[in-house]
Amino acid sequence: MNRSARTYVIGHRNPDTDSICSAIAYAELRRLQGLENVQPARAGNLNRQTEFVLKTLQQPAPLLLTDVHPRIRDVVTDPVVSIGADAPLAEALKLYHRHNIRMLPVVDAEQRAQGLLLLKKASEQFLVPDREELLRQVRVTINSVARCLQATAQHLVAGDRFESLNLYVGARDAATFKQWLAGVDTARAVLITGDRADIQAMAVDAGIRLLILSGGARVSAELVALAAAKGVSILTSHLDTANCSWLTRLATPVGCLVDADYLVVRQSDLLDELRLKLVHGNQSGALVLDDRERVCGVATKSHLIKSSPLKLILVDHNELGQAVPGADRVEIVEVVDHHRLGNFHTDTPIHFINQPLCSTCTLVARLFRQSGLEPAPHIAGLLLSGLLSDTVILKSPTTTDVDREIAPWLARLAGLEIEEYGARLFAAGSSLAGGASARELILTDFKEYQAGSQTLGLGQVEVVNLHSFHQRREELRKALKDLREEKGYELAALLVTDIVTENSLLLTAGSAELPYIIGYPQEGESLYRLKGVLSRKKQLVPHLLKVFKADD
């Protein structure tokens, strides 16, 4: 279950080309700078444009993380210490001491749970009794006694039978021992004695259940023959009488002491679920099972305060509402972004880079330069792809001088021509002409924004002409309406950007007063013309936030 610490560089949900390419490139930059166990990841499926980029540059898709909520496997990482049900209590106590634990899973031969043995209950077995009859009572099998005393069986009768017996030491002289023996229930008696042939013979002749010869005492053939005739078990141990007496009390098989009412969780369960069970339940720990139902760990309350080994570097976003689910439950160590600041906060200072550029890939390319590193051709190609995608081949009004200056440098390193590659990039990414459903098209590049107490949901697609949009307009309008009702958005909209004419259409699902407040000329039902608008981030979003905050 060991899981080493790993840092994932990851973009926003519904990732676009800039998000995916900047994650791959920044992970490579941090690796070159010496960060260990850093890996690019994605928080959603790839769009058609990004698939084209990765195929063209022969790069694998980053690891898909559907969520990063801490799970039990992230914090319960120590190798499990377990014990078989037939093992004596003495072995359990050794394990408690050796591994400094308080809970011991009891398992079968296939490592499947048989119960949970708590140190408290194990201790009560030999510390709590205060009456003489309880102090001498042992619940054992003859085999568990032999295992505990490292004894040799000279004669064995029903060694696996679990019995409640009484423990005695043969310390009397022969005369008083014989009188004492007459008052003992020999069928339930365990007698420990040393090299005393007379005591041994009287005990066996009386049919005692178990005779233990301590100190390595020798046993005669005649005594073994008598034991066979009387049905008496005989064990010999190298331990002295005191230790034999003590360890016999600890010979109870742990399977007889287990708590059958124990809590079971799975490795893949959320850590928050474990917290609820342990904090609000009456168990102090839980057995952790793997996907084959085998015990692989013990989870306790101390695990609830352990940190997940997973860390995040966010690229192309800084709002938790756009981040991979569970991002608020793990450590975020860096942010590299070009968007407005959202509701992001951390418990400790972090490395936060936010610059007013059109593309996160432009920012990552600058970081390569500032580090004195030149990206490899495939990394330069990825960075150029994200840059051209977000700047609409440098035509977007949000394109900065830095974007324009970085693009030729990346193109030279990647061996690509900006206009030709950009045209292929957008032709491949024309999702409206593909086979995706209307809902999938809307959510391909979709983000949520807060305008006061209201939530806006805005998707964007880029096309080289509007013909395919008009063919699917009604289908898209209905999907927006359904999405608005499902999510409770004040406005759900799709920005359809024609990168050739450098204009956009906005298809909406909103309130009845939307046409009167939105501030754009209406072209049809729920459709508005946005002349010269190419950027959702810098042109559409600021306008809508102003409109809806004023209306809040």
Side-chain angles (χ1 to χ4, degrees):
M1 287 180 64
N2 289 328
R3 260 187 114 191
S4 60
R6 180 164 294 276
T7 301
Y8 290 105
V9 182
I10 189 167
H12 51 74
R13 304 184 204 187
N14 306 312
D16 57 10
T17 300
D18 188 41
S19 178
I20 295 293
C21 292
S22 61
I24 298 173
Y26 193 65
E28 175 63 10
L29 174 60
R30 297 297 285 118
R31 185 190 69 80
L32 293 172
Q33 292 173 331
L35 181 63
E36 297 181 352
N37 295 325
V38 59
Q39 177 179 346
R42 56 191 168 100
N45 295 325
L46 304 176
N47 63 32
R48 290 159 58 92
Q49 185 185 81
T50 310
E51 287 178 341
F52 162 80
V53 169
L54 296 179
K55 183 177 180 181
T56 300
L57 298 175
Q58 299 182 340
Q59 295 303 302
L63 175 69
L64 174 63
L65 294 179
T66 55
D67 77 82
V68 292
H69 286 98
R71 298 186 181 274
I72 291 174
R73 62 170 172 256
D74 295 323
V75 297
V76 181
T77 56
D78 293 329
V80 64
V81 179
S82 60
I83 194 168
D86 59 345
L89 179 58
E91 291 186 13
L93 294 175
K94 290 178 183 177
L95 292 175
Y96 286 129
H97 177 70
R98 184 181 306 147
H99 299 282
N100 193 28
I101 57 177
R102 293 178 297 167
M103 299 180 199
L104 192 58
V106 179
V107 299
D108 62 15
E110 296 181 347
Q111 197 67 12
R112 299 185 187 276
Q114 302 294 296
L116 182 63
L117 184 62
L118 303 179
L119 176 59
K120 180 177 181 293
K121 184 168 183 178
S123 302
E124 289 173 351
Q125 177 71 12
F126 57 90
L127 294 179
V128 173
D130 56 359
R131 299 199 309 272
E132 182 180 350
E133 62 272 21
L134 294 178
L135 285 170
R136 70 171 68 261
Q137 189 180 79
V138 292
R139 296 184 296 158
V140 296
T141 67
I142 303 301
N143 283 340
S144 70
V145 174
R147 179 172 173 177
C148 202
L149 302 183
Q150 305 169 41
T152 301
Q154 303 297 332
H155 185 258
L156 199 60
V157 178
D160 288 327
R161 187 173 69 207
F162 181 71
E163 304 172 71
S164 181
L165 305 174
N166 293 315
L167 178 63
Y168 303 97
V169 173
R172 294 175 171 82
D173 61 29
T176 56
F177 179 77
K178 187 172 184 179
Q179 296 175 0
W180 169 83
L181 195 59
V184 172
D185 181 1
T186 55
R188 295 184 60 245
V190 177
L191 181 70
I192 302 174
T193 190
D195 192 11
R196 301 183 62 185
D198 50 352
I199 298 295
Q200 297 171 12
M202 283 188 283
V204 172
D205 187 57
I208 204 158
R209 176 66 182 100
L210 171 63
L211 175 64
I212 300 173
L213 303 183
S214 62
R218 291 177 296 176
V219 57
S220 66
E222 292 80 11
L223 188 66
V224 173
L226 181 61
K230 295 289 186 176
V232 173
S233 295
I234 299 179
L235 301 178
T236 57
S237 173
H238 67 281
L239 299 173
D240 62 26
T241 298
N243 283 319
C244 283
S245 176
W246 174 247
L247 290 175
T248 300
R249 294 192 60 213
L250 301 180
T252 302
V254 295
C256 305
L257 304 172
V258 296
D259 190 346
D261 181 23
Y262 56 92
L263 181 63
V264 170
V265 295
R266 266 70 185 176
Q267 284 180 298
S268 58
D269 289 351
L270 295 177
L271 191 61
D272 283 345
E273 294 175 355
L274 176 66
R275 179 175 286 104
L276 287 174
K277 292 175 180 178
L278 293 185
V279 171
H280 300 288
N282 56 8
Q283 289 97 347
S284 54
L287 295 185
V288 182
L289 306 185
D290 63 16
D291 55 4
R292 294 171 61 184
E293 299 296 305
R294 299 173 305 183
V295 177
C296 56
V298 177
T300 66
K301 291 180 180 177
S302 63
H303 288 109
L304 301 179
I305 60 175
K306 291 185 69 174
S307 299
S308 169
L310 186 152
K311 301 176 189 235
L312 296 181
I313 295 175
L314 304 186
V315 296
D316 201 32
H317 69 301
N318 68 79
E319 297 189 56
L320 291 177
Q322 297 176 7
V324 59
D328 58 326
R329 309 297 293 168
V330 299
E331 184 181 1
I332 297 172
V333 294
E334 295 184 43
V335 175
V336 179
D337 191 23
H338 67 126
H339 295 94
R340 66 168 190 151
L341 297 183
N343 59 346
F344 184 80
H345 68 275
T346 61
D347 294 332
T348 58
I350 68 168
H351 195 57
F352 194 110
I353 304 174
N354 188 288
Q355 295 182 6
L357 303 172
C358 195
S359 164
T360 304
C361 282
T362 302
L363 177 51
V364 174
R366 292 188 85 185
L367 294 174
F368 265 94
R369 277 184 165 181
Q370 291 170 10
S371 300
L373 297 169
E374 188 174 272
H378 70 281
I379 295 295
L382 290 169
L383 290 171
L384 180 64
S385 301
L387 188 158
L388 294 180
S389 177
D390 262 24
T391 63
V392 194
I393 320 178
L394 304 175
K395 295 178 182 178
S396 171
T398 60
T399 303
T400 68
D401 290 341
V402 176
D403 297 306
R404 295 187 183 92
E405 188 268 331
I406 287 286
W409 178 64
L410 292 174
R412 178 179 59 81
L413 293 175
L416 297 170
E417 197 280 317
I418 290 176
E419 292 297 331
E420 184 274 334
Y421 180 66
R424 288 197 292 135
L425 183 73
F426 278 92
S430 182
S431 55
L432 279 171
S437 69
R439 184 183 178 93
E440 288 171 336
L441 287 172
I442 293 166
L443 295 177
T444 295
D445 183 8
F446 188 86
K447 294 183 179 180
E448 293 182 353
Y449 301 90
Q450 286 299 129
S453 62
Q454 302 173 106
T455 303
L456 315 180
L458 306 177
Q460 183 174 20
V461 294
E462 291 155 337
V463 297
V464 293
N465 64 67
L466 294 170
H467 178 69
S468 55
F469 164 70
H470 286 298
Q471 286 184 322
R472 303 188 67 176
R473 174 177 161 184
E474 284 306 309
E475 179 190 357
L476 290 164
R477 188 173 68 84
K478 184 179 183 303
L480 281 171
K481 181 181 177 182
D482 292 343
L483 184 63
R484 177 177 182 252
E485 293 175 354
E486 176 189 331
K487 299 291 187 178
Y489 296 138
E490 179 62 26
L491 171 69
L494 178 66
L495 183 66
V496 184
T497 300
D498 185 334
I499 65 170
V500 176
T501 65
E502 300 184 25
N503 295 307
S504 295
L505 293 176
L506 185 67
L507 187 63
T508 65
S511 62
E513 63 267 21
L514 182 63
Y516 306 102
I517 65 172
I518 195 167
Y520 292 123
Q522 191 167 4
E523 279 224 346
E525 184 182 0
S526 305
L527 186 66
Y528 303 87
R529 176 164 292 279
L530 282 60
K531 187 176 181 179
V533 172
L534 293 177
S535 172
R536 172 179 55 187
K537 178 183 69 174
K538 285 201 172 182
Q539 292 174 288
L540 177 60
V541 171
H543 173 74
L544 292 181
L545 292 180
K546 182 178 179 181
V547 168
F548 283 95
K549 282 182 180 178
D551 190 53
D552 191 13

